[in-house]
Amino acid sequence: MLKLALPIYVELLTAVVAVSVIDLLWVAGLGEAAIAAVTMATTVEYFAYGLVLALPTGITVLVGRRDGVAPITPLIRTGWLLWLAGSIAIALPCVLLREPLAGLLTADAATAALAADFLLVSMAGLPIYFAQTVADGVVKGLGNAKVPMRNALICNALVIALDPLFIYGLGLGVQGAALATVLARAVTLAVSLKTLVRLAPRDAAGRAGAWEIIGTGLPMSGDFLARALVGLLLMEIVARFGVAAQAGYGIGLKIMLVGVMAFYALRQAAMIRTARSEETGSPLRTGLLAGAAVALALNLVAAPAASLFTDDPEATVSFLRWMTLYLIPFGGLIAAGGVAQASGRGSRLLAATLAGFAVQLPLAYLLSAWLGVTGVWLAMAAGTTVSLVAAPVRRAGAPERAPAPAPRSTRTAEGPRCDP
C-alpha cells in the first residue's frame, strides 16, 4: 500500500502547489491586491472541486471493483456524461456570477475586480480541470497511480513556464495567471486522454447507473466540503485573537499541508486496493504512525519553516507544536477512511466526521474563551478524536474486501493490465 501511496502523495502535493503557490508567487510582483484576488479566486475553485469530487471518487472505486469481473466501458461512458452535466451545472453559474462571488469575498472594489477577472477564465476552464480528475480516477481504479502523478508534474512544469509569459510577457496580469493555468491543464489533459485510451480495457457493452457512481463518491465530497466550511469557521474564531494569531494559523496550515497530504495519499491507496480486493494491511495503524511521524517532523522544523514566511514565527510555531494532539488521530482517521469508502461505508464515515465537527466547533468557542487561541487547537484535537472513535474503521483482523471481488485471472484479453 505504501508503494501505491507514494506516487499519489507526489500527485496531491504537486496539485496543491500548482493551484495555491505557483500562481501566487508569480503575481506577487503585481501587488497585494493581486495576491488577495488570486487567493480568493482559487478558494472558489477549491469549493467547486469539492462539489464534483464524488464523480472521480465513485469512478475509482467502481472501476476497481469491476476490473476483471464486469465491463468497465459503460462505467467510463456514464462517467463522461456526468462530467458534462456537472461541468455545465457548476462552471456556467460561476462564470455568470463571478462579480457577485468576488464581491462576497472582499469589500475592496479593486481587489474584487481583479478576482472577477481571474474567475472569468478559471471558472470557464473548470470543465478541463474536472475532466482531468475523471481521467485520473479511471486510471487509479485500474491500480495505476504513476500516470496521475506524471500528469500533475507535467501540469506544474507548464504553469511554472507559462505564468511569467502570460502575466508579464503578454501584460495580462492576474488574468494571465488564470490563462496559463487553464492552458497547462488543457495540454496535460490531452496527454492524459491519450494514455487513458491506451490503458482502458475494450470490454463488452453493459450498463452503469449514474447514481451508482455519484452515490459511491458522495460521502467523500461531503467530507471535503464539510472540512472546508469548518476551516473557514475556525478562521473566524482565530481572527478574534488578532492578526498575529490569524497569520500564524494560516501559515501553519500551509506548512502542515505538506505532511497532511501523506494521510490523503494513504487513504486513496487504501481505497484503491480495497476496491480491487487487494491487501491493505492495517490502514488505521499506518495512519496513526504516519500522524506521529508528521507531528515529530513538524515539531523539528517548526521554527525554521515558519521563519521562511514571517519575521515573527511565534504564533506559527505554537500552532504546529499543539497540532501533535490533532495529527495523530487525524492520520488514523483519514488513512482508514479509504477502506470504509471502498467497502460501502462512506456514509457512516461522513456521519462520524460530522459528529466530530459537532463537538469541535462549540468546544472551540468555549475553550477559546477560557484558554485563548490554544483552546481552538485543543478543540481540533478533541473533535478529530471523537470522529476516529465513531468512524467505521477496522482496527484488527483480516484485510477488508470490497463488496465485489475482482479476481485478476478473469481479466479480458483486450484490456492491458495496470499494475500499481
Side-chain angles (χ1 to χ4, degrees), residues 46 219-234 237 249 264 267 326 330 333-334 349-365 376 378-391:
Y46 183 76
M220 193 74 80
S221 186
D223 181 276
F224 183 97
L225 292 171
R227 292 189 185 282
L229 178 60
V230 169
L232 291 176
L233 294 174
L234 288 180
I237 299 174
Y249 176 52
Y264 286 95
R267 178 173 73 175
Y326 167 80
F330 186 63
L333 174 67
I334 297 301
L349 179 65
L350 177 59
T353 299
L354 296 177
F357 290 151
V359 171
Q360 178 177 318
L361 288 173
L363 200 59
Y365 281 101
V376 180
L378 292 175
M380 290 174 64
T384 302
T385 302
V386 169
S387 293
L388 178 60
V389 172

Side-chain angles (χ1 to χ4, degrees), residues 70-298:
I72 295 175
T73 300
L75 188 67
I76 297 174
R77 187 184 304 117
T78 301
W80 285 118
L81 291 174
L82 287 170
W83 160 77
L84 180 61
S87 295
I88 295 173
I90 297 173
L92 185 59
C94 285
V95 170
L96 296 177
L97 299 175
R98 63 188 182 279
E99 292 181 357
L101 277 174
L104 287 174
L105 296 171
T106 178
D108 181 72
T111 303
L114 289 174
D117 288 342
F118 191 98
L119 287 171
L120 174 61
V121 177
S122 65
M123 295 299 101
L126 278 181
I128 297 173
Y129 180 37
F130 293 165
Q132 186 63 62
T133 67
V134 172
D136 287 344
V138 173
V139 175
K140 286 180 181 179
L142 295 171
N144 190 321
K146 293 180 180 179
V147 167
M149 177 186 70
R150 181 208 63 184
N151 296 337
L153 292 173
I154 290 173
C155 187
N156 265 28
L158 289 171
V159 172
I160 291 172
L162 293 174
D163 260 355
L165 173 63
F166 280 77
I167 296 170
Y168 300 105
L170 299 178
L172 297 176
V174 166
Q175 202 167 56
L179 283 168
T181 300
V182 171
L183 180 58
R185 286 173 173 169
V187 173
T188 305
L189 178 61
V191 175
S192 179
L193 291 177
K194 183 178 179 181
T195 304
L196 180 60
V197 170
R198 177 172 57 85
L199 294 179
R202 298 171 181 84
D203 47 30
R207 299 180 61 184
W211 176 247
E212 183 183 11
I213 297 174
I214 297 301
T216 300
L218 200 57
M220 193 74 80
S221 186
D223 181 276
F224 183 97
L225 292 171
R227 292 189 185 282
L229 178 60
V230 169
L232 291 176
L233 294 174
L234 288 180
M235 181 66 79
E236 186 274 332
I237 299 174
V238 174
R240 296 186 304 169
F241 297 95
V243 175
Q246 190 175 19
Y249 176 52
I251 293 170
L253 285 177
K254 286 189 177 296
I255 295 172
M256 194 169 71
L257 196 62
V258 177
V260 167
M261 285 297 103
F263 308 157
Y264 286 95
L266 288 170
R267 178 173 73 175
Q268 285 199 29
M271 183 178 72
I272 292 168
R273 291 187 67 86
T274 300
R276 295 174 62 81
S277 299
E278 297 171 348
E279 289 284 344
T280 63
S282 173
L284 174 62
R285 182 173 63 246
T286 304
L288 292 172
L289 291 173
V294 170
L296 177 60
L298 288 177

Side-chain angles (χ1 to χ4, degrees), residues 48 204 348:
R348 290 174 57 192

